[in-house]
Amino acid sequence: MKEKKPALFTRTQLAIQENERIGNITIDAAIARNRGILHLHFFSPLTEPDAHLELLESIRSSISTPELQGQLEEDWDNESSKHDNDATKLLQHVKYACLYLELASTAEQNKARDKAWAFNSYASLMIGEIIERSAAIQNLNEADKRSVRNSKNAQGRNKSTLPLKEEIARLLEDLRPEAGWPYKTTAVATLERPLSDFIVNNNILDVQPSNIETWLPRWLCEDELVNPAWEKTKRHK
């Protein structure tokens, strides 16, 4: 039995270290951390490169007086009311979180430390919700991108296999037994060799000639080009 190594620190020592780490953070460091979180979870993935700096500049030039701050907030509210969607609502939350962080920074510069911590704490509450909303929007955006990629890939595959499907329809007609194809397996077995040659000679990469018996029966049933040819040439009881 492998001997368990002793822990480097006791639980008491770890608790003391963690309390010291959290309790000794400065207000400037706390504000910087919140700014970094906003940049990481919102500005970097969802906005243009200069959006964060531009927002901070507009806030910093407007918090010198209550009148300018009130006008800035009114402008934000008016802009938000024009677009009722999740992205706009999230941006509104981000704007106010940034506003409170700048108010916290200004309060700290003016030695109003309690007020600085109050503003920063309020921003921290908003940031928790911002992270969740941002993640939801990013997931939705990624799903949309995958859907577009899949659609383009499907279009590419359909375009590349169109000559093959046209050849199948032609062979179903040309090689049709007098009474019609009795079974799909009969058609697949008959078409397997000429289709293999066609795939190789025309360099069709999206299907494998080695497993024609897998995809051809499905095309006979479902494909919008192959199925009508099959229905026309099969034996009707």
Side-chain angles (χ1 to χ4, degrees), residues 22 25-38 93-94 96-109 112-130:
I22 297 173
I25 188 172
T26 65
I27 181 61
D28 287 335
I31 294 170
R33 181 177 61 188
N34 276 335
R35 286 173 178 159
I37 292 172
L38 285 173
H93 272 66
V94 170
Y96 276 97
C98 288
L99 171 64
Y100 296 132
L101 290 176
E102 292 309 307
L103 289 171
S105 181
T106 299
E108 167 62 10
Q109 293 171 12
R113 188 147 299 170
D114 289 344
K115 185 177 289 187
W117 275 112
F119 280 129
N120 183 73
S121 296
Y122 197 77
S124 296
L125 293 175
M126 299 184 70
I127 288 171
E129 183 178 355
I130 287 168

Side-chain angles (χ1 to χ4, degrees), residues 84-229:
D84 186 17
N85 56 62
D86 290 342
T88 301
K89 293 176 182 177
L90 174 59
L91 177 59
Q92 187 77 337
H93 272 66
V94 170
K95 288 178 178 178
Y96 276 97
C98 288
L99 171 64
Y100 296 132
L101 290 176
E102 292 309 307
L103 289 171
S105 181
T106 299
E108 167 62 10
Q109 293 171 12
N110 294 331
K111 309 301 182 183
R113 188 147 299 170
D114 289 344
K115 185 177 289 187
W117 275 112
F119 280 129
N120 183 73
S121 296
Y122 197 77
S124 296
L125 293 175
M126 299 184 70
I127 288 171
E129 183 178 355
I130 287 168
I131 291 173
E132 292 184 8
R133 289 191 177 190
S134 178
I137 290 176
Q138 290 179 64
N139 289 337
L140 183 60
N141 289 345
E142 185 58 32
D144 290 341
K145 291 177 182 178
R146 286 197 300 268
S147 178
V148 171
R149 287 197 299 268
N150 291 340
S151 177
K152 289 182 178 179
N153 291 339
Q155 292 174 9
R157 287 193 297 270
N158 290 339
K159 185 176 180 180
S160 67
T161 58
L162 179 59
L164 175 60
K165 293 176 181 180
E166 292 174 341
E167 179 66 5
I168 294 171
R170 186 187 70 80
L171 290 173
L172 286 171
E173 288 274 6
D174 290 354
L175 302 180
R176 174 183 179 271
E178 184 175 350
W181 296 103
Y183 307 106
K184 290 187 182 72
T185 53
T186 307
V188 171
T190 304
L191 270 59
E192 185 170 6
R193 179 60 182 272
L195 287 181
S196 295
D197 293 341
F198 185 87
I199 292 169
V200 173
N201 293 337
N202 290 274
N203 196 30
I204 298 175
L205 303 178
D206 290 313
V207 292
Q208 295 296 322
S210 59
N211 61 352
I212 288 176
E213 70 281 358
T214 298
W215 52 261
L216 181 53
R218 186 173 68 250
W219 285 12
L220 292 173
C221 293
E222 302 173 0
D223 186 78
E224 60 183 12
L225 180 60
V226 175
N227 177 254

Side-chain angles (χ1 to χ4, degrees), residues 38-40 42-56 91 94:
L38 285 173
H39 188 272
L40 176 65
F42 177 79
F43 289 102
S44 179
L46 294 177
T47 68
E48 297 297 322
D50 295 332
H52 195 181
L53 181 59
E54 290 175 359
L55 176 60
L56 293 182
L91 177 59
V94 170

Side-chain angles (χ1 to χ4, degrees), residues 4-15:
K4 186 177 180 180
K5 294 182 178 180
L8 294 177
F9 299 98
T10 67
R11 290 302 306 176
T12 300
Q13 291 172 322
L14 289 173

